[in-house]
Amino acid sequence: MLAVAILAAGKGTRMKSALPKVLQTLAETSMVERVLNSCSGLNPDRKFLIVGHQAEKVKEKLIHFPKLEFVIQTPQKGTGHAIQQLLKVLRDFKGELLVLNGDVPLLKSETLRRLINEHRRSNASVTFLTTKLSNPKGYGRVFANKNREVSRIIEDRDCSEEQKLNKLVNSGIYCFNWDQLAKVLPNLSTENNQREIYLTDTVAMLPLSMHLEVEDPGEIKGINNRHQLSQCERLLQERLREHWMENGVTFIDPSSCTLNENCTFGIDVIIEPQTHFRGNCRINNGCKIGPGSLIINSDLGESVSILYSVVNEAIIENNVSIGPFANLRPGTKLDKCSKVGNFVEIKNSSIGEKTKVNHLSYLGDAKIGKEVNIGAGTITANYDGINKHPTIIGDKSKTGANSVLVAPINLGSKVTVGAGSTLTKNVPNNALAIGRSKQLIKENWFSKESQS
Ligand code: UD1
Ligand code: CA
């Protein structure tokens, strides 16, 4: 039997935030969700989350995780005290207890599997992950012999200057034999600098404690402050970009681009500098995105090009060209080979095949047909102050520069709208619509001033 306990009750004082520490995010997913994900493949029989500080907020965020049991720790008297809360719930449990710190989010599932296998093979009371750090400040130091047997862990604050020179650090990831741990848990003391009950003290009390060094120290990086948060974000972004580079994506300036695990890319995608992907994005083969673009929850077909633009909750078909400086808002659908040019804003509108909206337009709640040319400065006046209204334009129509289409309005196909028109009435197919005052010419007219 395997049980997992994630420690997430601490306040995270060093983060200086109104948000509980474990809800801080890395690539848009909270630390604690990352920790939960890292152990979901292990199929544990029981899964506990120890919560305390702002417990309701943490619970609310994680309520959708199947089989997750919340255990309350109040007050929070340390990591050992947190695990003591399991003594009742796991009274008759036989097997291993995997303990994970909620603030160590880059751990890989393979490493956890290795830890459990190693633990089972060695028959130790506890096996825990360690690494050697050139700057071990803040971490508990692990004192072990060559056979990986550990005599004790001493927290940074409790170390003598000499002990601080030890670079082997505790990750906060342990696989315990529950029976043996349960016996020593009640005997933990608070004789340390912080007057807390430390889980780390159990290693000196158990019959056989072993450690397992991980090769990549990045994996067990703990996050206590915003500096460490930013370091982990960087490591995670590097991992994500490396994955996609191995799968056919070119990053011109990798470190200037960010993404997350819910973004997928086809082959021969070129990502120019300062380009970011948020939420769920699906980017197909041959797209060229950036520089300077933000893509959020959007689907891009093949060979789409985007330059200095924001694309948010949009569906873009093959061979569409966007930008520079377009703002595509939720509900935008661009059909294949269409083009959206500079300083164009589109919201909740569909744009037909080969249609062009090249300059300075706002299209909202509009349905535009195929091969339409939306002239520079065309605006759909879709909002009357209370309600939003639709604009429909048929295939092969053309709007002149600076047209205002006051919605609700329906323009047929092959309609031409004269430049500078303000249209308030529907226009039938094949018609020319002009809605502006006639130009006056008064010949041989001079102002009085110019005559004197
Ligand atoms: C802990 C370890 C240290 C290790 C480091 C690795 C102890 C005593 N020290 O130190 O050896 O090198 O992690 O990152 O365990 N928590 C609770 N209840 C509490 C206190 C903390 O649930 O009463 C949770 C926190 O929310 C956090 C985790 O336990 O997720 C670790 O607590 P933290 O205070 O960050 O421990 P560290 O000082 O980093
Ligand atoms: Ca920590």
Side-chain angles (χ1 to χ4, degrees):
M1 296 268 269
L2 178 69
V4 173
I6 297 169
L7 302 181
K11 185 166 177 228
T13 316
R14 292 164 276 185
M15 198 61 80
K16 302 212 166 44
S17 171
L19 200 65
K21 176 168 74 173
V22 295
L23 293 189
Q24 299 282 347
T25 58
L26 293 168
E28 299 184 81
T29 301
S30 70
M31 291 191 213
V32 65
E33 283 174 279
R34 290 188 172 279
V35 176
L36 276 162
N37 290 338
S38 73
C39 63
S40 65
L42 304 171
N43 285 322
D45 301 284
R46 310 273 307 256
K47 212 162 35 178
F48 301 99
L49 192 82
I50 319 283
V51 288
H53 176 72
Q54 296 200 49
E56 288 311 311
K57 235 185 198 170
V58 180
K59 270 181 168 176
E60 193 187 313
K61 185 85 189 164
L62 304 174
I63 210 78
H64 62 281
F65 270 89
K67 279 177 59 186
L68 183 60
E69 300 173 56
F70 295 96
V71 174
I72 302 279
Q73 182 202 10
T74 39
Q76 296 87 46
K77 292 196 275 188
T79 50
H81 179 247
I83 295 299
Q84 282 175 348
Q85 312 308 307
L86 295 177
L87 282 167
K88 264 194 202 142
V89 252
L90 283 181
R91 191 179 312 217
D92 303 316
F93 179 80
K94 294 267 174 291
E96 286 105 13
L97 176 71
L98 187 67
V99 174
L100 306 171
N101 270 4
D103 62 354
V104 181
L106 298 187
L107 195 64
K108 293 182 183 155
S109 313
E110 306 96 85
T111 310
L112 281 178
R113 232 169 257 133
R114 234 183 88 214
L115 171 67
I116 295 169
N117 289 340
E118 190 63 35
H119 177 76
R120 286 178 180 161
R121 201 169 37 227
S122 69
N123 229 358
S125 322
V126 59
T127 312
F128 61 99
L129 297 177
T130 57
T131 196
K132 285 204 186 83
L133 293 181
S134 52
N135 177 13
K137 196 168 176 286
Y139 288 87
R141 306 299 203 281
V142 177
F143 295 85
N145 66 19
K146 286 200 180 82
N147 300 325
R148 299 193 284 112
E149 294 167 7
V150 180
S151 55
R152 61 202 287 217
I153 300 175
I154 307 179
E155 289 306 297
D156 188 60
R157 299 162 187 261
D158 299 309
C159 279
S160 66
E161 285 312 310
E162 200 193 333
Q163 287 166 332
K164 277 187 182 167
L165 298 176
N166 181 356
K167 295 192 175 350
L168 188 67
V169 302
N170 170 29
S171 65
I173 314 292
Y174 322 76
C175 185
F176 286 100
N177 175 315
W178 172 248
D179 254 358
Q180 296 181 34
L181 177 66
K183 282 199 190 94
V184 301
L185 270 178
N187 307 329
L188 289 170
S189 79
T190 55
E191 277 160 34
N192 53 59
N193 174 283
Q194 290 196 98
R195 300 266 150 244
E196 283 190 356
I197 301 172
Y198 286 165
L199 183 62
T200 44
D201 287 345
T202 59
V203 307
M205 300 157 87
L206 288 163
L208 178 59
S209 300
M210 307 270 292
H211 77 98
L212 180 65
E213 217 176 310
V214 296
E215 285 141 33
D216 171 13
E219 241 191 283
I220 59 166
K221 242 180 149 21
I223 300 181
N224 296 322
N225 54 44
R226 292 190 197 246
H227 180 61
Q228 289 166 329
L229 184 70
S230 76
Q231 286 174 335
C232 282
E233 177 79 39
R234 203 185 65 222
L235 284 171
L236 184 57
Q237 291 296 341
E238 270 167 18
R239 261 194 209 171
L240 289 165
R241 290 188 304 254
E242 271 163 25
H243 168 81
W244 288 111
M245 286 192 241
E246 281 159 19
N247 284 282
V249 175
T250 296
F251 286 88
I252 304 294
D253 178 16
S255 65
S256 74
C257 299
T258 59
L259 58 152
N260 68 52
E261 285 91 346
N262 299 320
C263 297
T264 62
F265 299 85
I267 57 165
D268 296 321
V269 169
I270 298 178
I271 299 171
E272 296 270 0
Q274 295 291 351
T275 294
H276 307 279
F277 300 86
R278 303 270 186 272
N280 296 295
C281 291
R282 210 167 47 116
I283 313 297
N284 274 298
N285 297 350
C287 287
K288 188 165 188 283
I289 308 172
S293 295
L294 173 63
I295 317 296
I296 309 164
N297 290 323
S298 293
D299 270 18
L300 272 52
E302 294 191 359
S303 304
V304 169
S305 77
I306 300 178
L307 184 57
Y308 288 112
S309 293
V310 177
V311 176
N312 185 5
E313 288 180 31
I315 297 173
I316 315 293
E317 299 291 348
N318 296 351
N319 301 304
V320 169
S321 149
I322 298 166
F325 313 115
N327 182 16
L328 304 186
R329 294 169 48 202
T332 297
K333 284 186 191 151
L334 304 184
D335 210 340
K336 47 183 185 269
C337 304
S338 57
K339 188 172 182 313
V340 172
N342 39 206
F343 306 108
V344 171
E345 176 181 351
I346 302 182
K347 182 218 77 168
N348 188 34
S349 295
S350 62
I351 309 296
E353 194 179 327
K354 292 188 186 160
T355 285
K356 291 181 177 144
V357 192
N358 273 339
H359 340 259
L360 301 155
S361 283
Y362 169 65
L363 300 178
D365 308 302
K367 192 166 181 296
I368 317 276
K370 294 179 188 168
E371 294 178 50
V372 171
N373 190 71
I374 300 291
T378 296
I379 304 288
T380 55
N382 60 330
Y383 186 47
D384 60 13
I386 300 166
N387 294 310
K388 304 278 170 69
H389 301 282
T391 299
I392 297 170
I393 303 179
D395 296 347
K396 297 191 175 171
S397 289
K398 296 186 179 77
T399 66
N402 253 15
S403 304
V404 178
L405 309 174
V406 182
I409 192 165
N410 192 332
L411 275 54
S413 57
K414 294 188 182 161
V415 161
T416 303
V417 178
S421 292
T422 297
L423 299 188
T424 55
K425 294 191 192 102
N426 293 345
V427 182
N429 295 345
N430 306 313
L432 167 68
I434 303 174
R436 61 177 188 236
S437 55
K438 277 204 173 128
Q439 182 169 326
L440 277 178
I441 306 278
K442 295 188 178 179
E443 290 192 30
N444 299 320
W445 183 87
F446 294 93
S447 67
K448 277 182 184 156
E449 288 86 347
S450 62
Q451 281 170 356
S452 62

